[in-house]
Amino acid sequence: MYRQIEAHLVLSGKTKREVADALGISYNTLLLKLKGASCFTLDEAVKLQTLLKAPESIEELFDKPA
């Protein structure tokens, strides 16, 4: 799971459905990507960083815990 993304989702007040719609993917696809079962594309990662107004770099935002 991506801790930084989950934290920014809470801070932004956006729902996962809203984020999925903004990324142009289904809600279920977003859930799979957040769980790490599927990968985000670079375009999705950039859109997500912008949508959540995350100050971290993409590398930091998408850092998975070991």
Side-chain angles (χ1 to χ4, degrees):
M1 181 172 343
Y2 296 102
R3 289 184 196 169
Q4 293 290 337
I5 294 173
E6 292 286 345
H8 282 293
L9 276 168
V10 171
L11 291 172
S12 73
K14 296 186 185 318
T15 67
K16 290 178 183 174
R17 287 199 188 277
E18 290 172 330
V19 171
D21 288 344
L23 294 177
I25 60 177
S26 73
Y27 175 74
N28 288 333
T29 299
L30 177 64
L31 294 181
L32 288 172
K33 290 178 184 242
L34 289 174
K35 288 181 184 177
S38 184
C39 296
F40 284 92
T41 66
L42 180 58
D43 285 342
E44 290 168 345
V46 171
K47 285 180 187 177
L48 189 57
Q49 181 188 31
T50 302
L51 181 67
L52 299 178
K53 298 178 183 167
E56 297 89 352
S57 68
I58 296 239
E59 292 83 6
E60 292 170 327
L61 187 63
F62 285 86
D63 185 39
K64 287 184 183 176

